[in-house]
């Protein structure tokens, strides 16, 4: 193990001598929050009963599985993380954790998470968890991310798996409602990330990541945000229209969707130059990004509330 | 009393020891937690199959 000394914020940084917080940061805890939340919603809405200990183990397995995928992602993306301002301080590019250690950590946690899910619940949930990890690492990180501006559209499926996994943990199968939850998270991902990339595209351009604003320009990205938001709002109403959720969810989904459409409209009509570059510091895109986070938490919460009321 | 590696200053050596100690404690907590979780899962599964 290397013991090269590097200065970081006036603190002493020793390669291979990372803090507990550095190892935890490898798990992408902010992404994990969303994954745990949507997995919990799937688990709560599924028919049947799961012992609380097993339910806790299932949620822990989903969280650890997502964290493992995040660690392997940081291992693979360490070269582009080093040149992006937003990610340059992550443990690997900052030199606090060696790349090989992060890879080993991620693989070990991924295997442990799938085994835990299998032991605590059933083979279907364990297989879906394994599939979601492989999808995030193999399809999104290694294949799509550096090749196509559609990276987050297809790759977004990886983040949409948890409600199905939570549902399968209880019921042992897959039904239409968790598939619709998957669809909602799937169509939510593009407007969420493209709003962020509208003002962070300098980072992606430096790293050579073909995010939509880098490849197609800001104007096209604003249009795409609008299109995907319309599709998202339509998809969000399906549980209600198909009779799988009641009016409490339906009215909430409609109100939240109208709010999202308003945000997308403001992004589209933001004061901009001929290339579509914002003259307002991308204020509408920043607002849309924040709104999208609240939107997903609220719409899934209302689906659960509605489920308990029915 | 701890001995410090020759290429590190005393402050660096102490920081290194602190990090290692914190990591060891975290590892202990994780291991105890995993053991407790697997014990609880085993108890629940056995109860579900009428072995308890």
């Amino acid at each position: 193990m290397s013991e090269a000394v590097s200065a970081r914020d006036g603190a002493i940084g020793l390669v291979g001598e990372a803090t507990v917080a550095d190892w935890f940061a490898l798990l992408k805890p902010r992404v994990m929050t969303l994954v745990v939340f949507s997995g919990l919603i799937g688990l709560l809405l599924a028919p049947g009963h799961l012992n609380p200990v097993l339910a806790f183990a299932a949620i822990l397995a989903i969280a650890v599985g997502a964290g493992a995928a995040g660690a392997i992602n940081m291992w693979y993306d360490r070269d582009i993380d080093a040149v992006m301002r937003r990610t340059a301080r992550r443990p690997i590019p900052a030199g606090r954790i060696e790349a090989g250690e992060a890879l080993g950590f991620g693989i070990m946690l991924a295997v442990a998470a799938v085994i835990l899910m299998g032991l605590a619940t059933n083979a279907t949930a364990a297989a879906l968890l394994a599939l979601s990890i492989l999808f995030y690492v193999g399809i999104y990180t290694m294949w799509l991310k550096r090749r196509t501006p559609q990276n987050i559209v297809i790759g977004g499926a990886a983040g949409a798996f948890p409600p199905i996994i939570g549902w399968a943990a209880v019921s042992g199968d897959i039904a239409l409602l968790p598939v619709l939850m998957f669809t909602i998270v799937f169509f939510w991902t593009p407007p969420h990330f493209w709003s962020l990339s509208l003002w962070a595209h300098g980072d992606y351009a430096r790293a050579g990541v073909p995010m939509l604003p880098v490849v197609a320009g800001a104007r096209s990205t604003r249009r795409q945000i609008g299109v995907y938001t319309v599709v998202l709002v339509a998809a969000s109403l399906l549980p209600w229209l198909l009779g799988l959720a009641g009016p409490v969810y339906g009215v909430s989904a409609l109100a939240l969707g109208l709010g999202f459409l308003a945000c997308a409209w403001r992004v589209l009509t933001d004061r901009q130059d001929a290339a579509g570059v914002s003259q307002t510091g991308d204020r509408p895109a920043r607002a849309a990004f924040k709104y999208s986070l609240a939107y997903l938490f609220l719409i899934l919460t209302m689906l659960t509330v509605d489920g308990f009321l029915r | 009393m701890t001995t410090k590696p020759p290429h590190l200053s005393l402050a660096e050596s102490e920081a290194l020891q602190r990090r290692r100690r914190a990591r060891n404690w975290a590892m202990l907590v994780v291991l105890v937690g995993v053991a407790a979780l697997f014990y609880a899962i085993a108890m629940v599964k056995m109860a579900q199959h009428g072995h308890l």
Side-chain angles (χ1 to χ4, degrees):
Chain A
M1 188 181 290
S2 165
E3 286 187 332
V5 180
S6 64
R8 176 177 57 87
D9 296 339
I12 300 152
L14 292 154
V15 172
E17 291 296 347
T19 62
V20 175
D22 288 327
W23 288 102
F24 189 64
L26 274 186
L27 305 179
K28 296 194 174 182
R30 270 189 294 188
V31 176
M32 209 196 272
T33 313
L34 173 64
V35 166
V36 166
F37 177 73
S38 59
L40 182 64
I41 298 292
L43 198 132
L44 289 173
L45 283 170
H49 169 76
L50 190 63
N51 180 286
V53 170
L54 303 183
F56 171 77
I59 292 298
L60 184 66
I62 292 174
V64 173
I72 300 172
N73 168 276
M74 283 202 205
W75 161 77
Y76 190 81
D77 278 349
R78 61 193 184 279
D79 55 337
I80 56 177
D81 280 353
V83 293
M84 300 206 322
R85 231 191 340 257
R86 192 170 61 83
T87 54
R89 293 165 62 87
R90 283 178 173 174
I92 303 174
R96 300 192 300 277
I97 291 179
E98 288 179 13
E101 290 177 325
L103 176 63
F105 183 61
I107 291 173
M108 183 198 70
L109 288 183
V111 172
V114 173
I115 290 174
L116 176 62
M117 182 64 93
L119 288 175
T121 63
N122 54 66
T124 307
L128 285 167
L129 181 61
L131 180 67
S132 70
I133 296 169
L134 289 173
F135 195 95
Y136 185 75
V137 171
I139 306 290
Y140 171 68
T141 303
M142 295 182 177
W143 184 29
L144 296 173
K145 186 172 178 180
R146 301 176 190 224
R147 283 182 176 78
T148 165
Q150 296 301 310
N151 47 16
I152 54 132
V153 177
I154 307 162
F161 270 107
I164 302 185
I165 300 170
W167 181 286
V170 178
S171 68
D173 60 18
I174 301 169
L176 182 57
L177 186 57
V179 171
L180 291 177
M181 285 192 270
F182 174 96
T183 310
I184 291 169
V185 181
F186 181 79
F187 284 116
W188 166 86
T189 308
H192 170 73
F193 273 107
W194 284 336
S195 297
L196 166 73
S197 66
L198 267 178
W199 82 82
H201 60 87
D203 253 1
Y204 290 114
R206 252 194 311 280
V209 178
M211 286 298 272
L212 196 60
V214 177
V215 175
R219 193 175 287 280
S220 170
T221 305
R222 294 174 195 282
R223 276 198 301 272
Q224 293 285 325
I225 288 173
V227 169
Y228 275 91
T229 306
V230 170
V231 176
L232 166 66
V233 174
S236 74
L237 296 175
L238 285 177
W240 182 33
L241 298 174
L242 295 174
L244 298 169
V248 171
Y249 169 76
V251 172
S252 307
L254 192 60
L256 288 165
L258 288 174
F260 209 156
L261 284 170
C263 285
W265 178 254
R266 282 195 283 271
V267 171
L268 186 67
T269 57
D270 187 15
R271 193 149 46 82
Q272 54 199 277
D273 64 15
V277 176
S278 175
Q279 306 295 294
T280 65
D282 273 311
R283 250 200 317 259
R286 290 170 199 267
F289 177 76
K290 278 188 197 152
Y291 184 86
S292 69
L293 282 169
Y295 172 88
L296 194 65
F297 275 96
L298 286 172
I299 201 164
L300 292 179
T301 301
M302 291 318 293
L303 189 59
T304 314
V305 169
D306 183 276
F308 282 112
L309 290 176
R310 274 154 66 89
Chain B
M1 187 180 153
T2 56
T3 53
K4 72 175 186 64
H7 59 290
L8 295 180
S9 72
L10 191 60
E12 287 169 343
S13 177
E14 281 172 0
L16 188 65
Q17 302 266 355
R18 264 199 308 278
R19 284 179 192 195
R20 284 184 177 164
R21 205 172 301 125
R23 249 183 7 205
N24 291 344
W25 277 109
M27 189 57 81
L28 178 67
V29 170
V30 169
L31 285 175
V32 170
V34 167
L37 181 64
F38 274 80
Y39 177 77
I41 291 171
M43 289 299 112
V44 170
K45 290 278 180 183
M46 285 169 73
Q48 284 178 344
H49 291 90
H51 296 308
L52 284 181

